[in-house]
Amino acid sequence: MQIKLIPLQAHGDDRGSLIALEEGKNIPFPVKRVYYLFNTKEGVRRGFHAHKTLKQVAIAVRGSCRFVLDDGNERVEVLLDNPAQGLLIESFMWREMYDFSEDCVLMVLADQLYDESDYIRDYAQFIEAANSHVHSSAQ
Ligand code: TYD
């Protein structure tokens, strides 16, 4: 599985750093929603879902955390520890997040508003849906 890490250019000078996120430029979709996870407790593992259509980009704007991404075929671990890097998470991708540093702020940009009906929260159901998604996209 190809993990898509988007390099985000930092504009730095002696005052500090600045990164701009722009739809159609470094963010490959229209941004409808932004949310962020913080104060995540030690040992917590969260996520445990996939989306039917949602696309997202996750950025550890502070601190670090790990992701498991699973396309139904392969599981890959990714460390996010750089505010100048965005992890693209396409639809039909099971994700789990863990090993949050105490200071971690994980920001997520999404191309749709929150919609519970877009979630697949059951792993067995995800595997079934991912397989039929692969077959229908290959046609
Ligand atoms: P949840 O899906 O459990 O988060 P994660 O997948 O990261 O473990 O979401 C936590 C709560 O926040 C849940 O009650 C749904 C709510 N929520 C929103 O209201 N809007 C959002 O955009 C998101 C992502 C979650």
Side-chain angles (χ1 to χ4, degrees):
M1 190 203 320
Q2 190 77 21
I3 294 299
K4 290 173 191 149
L5 284 169
I6 301 171
L8 305 169
Q9 198 204 333
H11 304 277
D13 56 33
D14 52 10
R15 298 169 299 167
S17 303
L18 181 156
I19 291 178
L21 305 173
E22 294 179 281
E23 83 177 47
K25 291 195 174 171
N26 50 8
I27 303 301
F29 50 72
V31 178
K32 279 266 182 65
R33 174 166 57 112
V34 177
Y35 62 92
Y36 40 97
L37 283 69
F38 58 101
N39 282 347
T40 307
K41 304 292 176 256
E42 204 184 327
V44 160
R45 205 169 168 106
R46 55 187 307 169
F48 294 95
H49 66 259
H51 286 279
K52 296 173 194 164
T53 62
L54 191 71
K55 289 197 192 95
Q56 297 181 296
V57 169
I59 303 164
V61 292
R62 184 162 195 92
S64 64
C65 69
R66 290 180 197 277
F67 271 75
V68 162
L69 292 183
D70 178 339
D71 65 359
N73 200 28
E74 202 187 331
R75 279 171 97 83
V76 177
E77 290 191 34
V78 188
L79 171 68
L80 280 194
D81 63 352
N82 181 352
Q85 206 168 51
L87 174 64
L88 179 64
I89 309 169
E90 312 248 25
S91 56
F92 288 99
M93 191 66 76
W94 184 266
R95 89 285 319 268
E96 294 167 21
M97 295 90 86
Y98 58 103
D99 267 5
F100 287 85
S101 64
E102 212 182 304
D103 61 346
C104 183
V105 180
L106 180 67
M107 184 171 72
V108 184
L109 285 71
D111 73 343
Q112 290 169 44
L113 300 182
Y114 179 72
D115 174 10
E116 188 57 39
S117 72
D118 191 63
Y119 280 71
I120 306 172
R121 293 193 183 272
D122 178 81
Y123 188 71
Q125 218 176 315
F126 161 69
I127 292 297
E128 202 173 305
N131 287 333
S132 55
H133 174 69
V134 167
H135 291 132
S136 63
S137 3
Q139 275 167 11

